[in-house]
Amino acid sequence: MAFPERRQTKVILALELFVMLVLANGAPVVARKLFGARWSAPVDGGRLWRDGQPLLGRSKTWRGLVSGTLVCGLFALLVGLGFVFGCLFAALGLAGDMLSSFIKRRRGLASSARALGLDQIPEALLPMVLAVFWLPLGVWKALGVVVLFTLSNILLSPLLYRLGIRRQPH
C-alpha cells in the first residue's frame, strides 16, 4: 500500500517509528500501574502448552494489548501516519513480544528472565517490516530503528527499574 507523500524527512519518520515502538511496548507497563489488576486477563487464557508451561504467561494481558495498540494508533494519527497504520504497527510489536514470551517459555525461562536480543528484536522487527512495505522507508533505516530500540531497551531498563516503572532491572 503506497503512502501519500510526507513533508518530513526519513530521519524524522524513523524517529516517529522509534517513538511508536516505545509507546506500544511502554503503554502496557503504564496501564498496569494505572489500573492494577483490572482488565488483567491473560491473552493466553491461562492455557498451558504441551510441555506443561504457560503458553505465554500471566504478564501478557488484554489490557496491555489494547492499551499499547490504542496509544500507538493515536500517536500515529497525531503525526500523520494514520490510526490504522499505528494500530497494525503496535499489534505487530506486541505480537513480537508475545512470540518472545512463547519462545522463552519453551526454553524453560521465567517471564522475568533476561534473554538478550530475544526480549527486544522480535517486538521491533515485526512492526518495522510493516513500515518498510507501508511507508517510504528503506530497509537500512528500518534496521537502524530496530538497533536503536534494542540498545535503548537494554541500556535504559535498569534506570526504569530504579524509578519503579519496570518490575525487573532488564
Side-chain angles (χ1 to χ4, degrees), residues 84-106:
V84 172
F85 171 77
C87 288
L88 290 172
F89 186 88
L92 284 170
L94 295 166
D97 186 42
M98 286 186 244
L99 174 64
S100 297
S101 291
F102 179 81
I103 293 168
K104 286 170 68 174
R105 296 306 85 72
R106 305 298 65 81

Side-chain angles (χ1 to χ4, degrees), residues 44 46-58 60 97-111 113 115 118:
D44 66 8
R47 290 178 187 82
L48 302 178
W49 189 248
R50 59 182 167 239
D51 60 5
Q53 296 297 316
L55 190 62
L56 300 173
R58 294 183 322 184
K60 303 305 171 206
D97 186 42
M98 286 186 244
L99 174 64
S100 297
S101 291
F102 179 81
I103 293 168
K104 286 170 68 174
R105 296 306 85 72
R106 305 298 65 81
R107 293 177 64 199
L109 299 172
S111 62
L118 181 59

Side-chain angles (χ1 to χ4, degrees), residues 3 16 19 39 64 67-68 70-71 76 86-87 96 98-99 114 117 123 128 130-131 134 141 144 148 152 158 160 167:
F3 195 80
E16 290 169 345
V19 169
W39 308 301
S67 65
L70 285 177
V71 167
C87 288
M98 286 186 244
L99 174 64
R114 185 176 195 175
E123 64 193 57
M128 291 309 293
L130 172 71
W134 191 298
K141 284 247 189 314
L148 177 62
S152 65
L160 296 175
R167 289 186 194 176

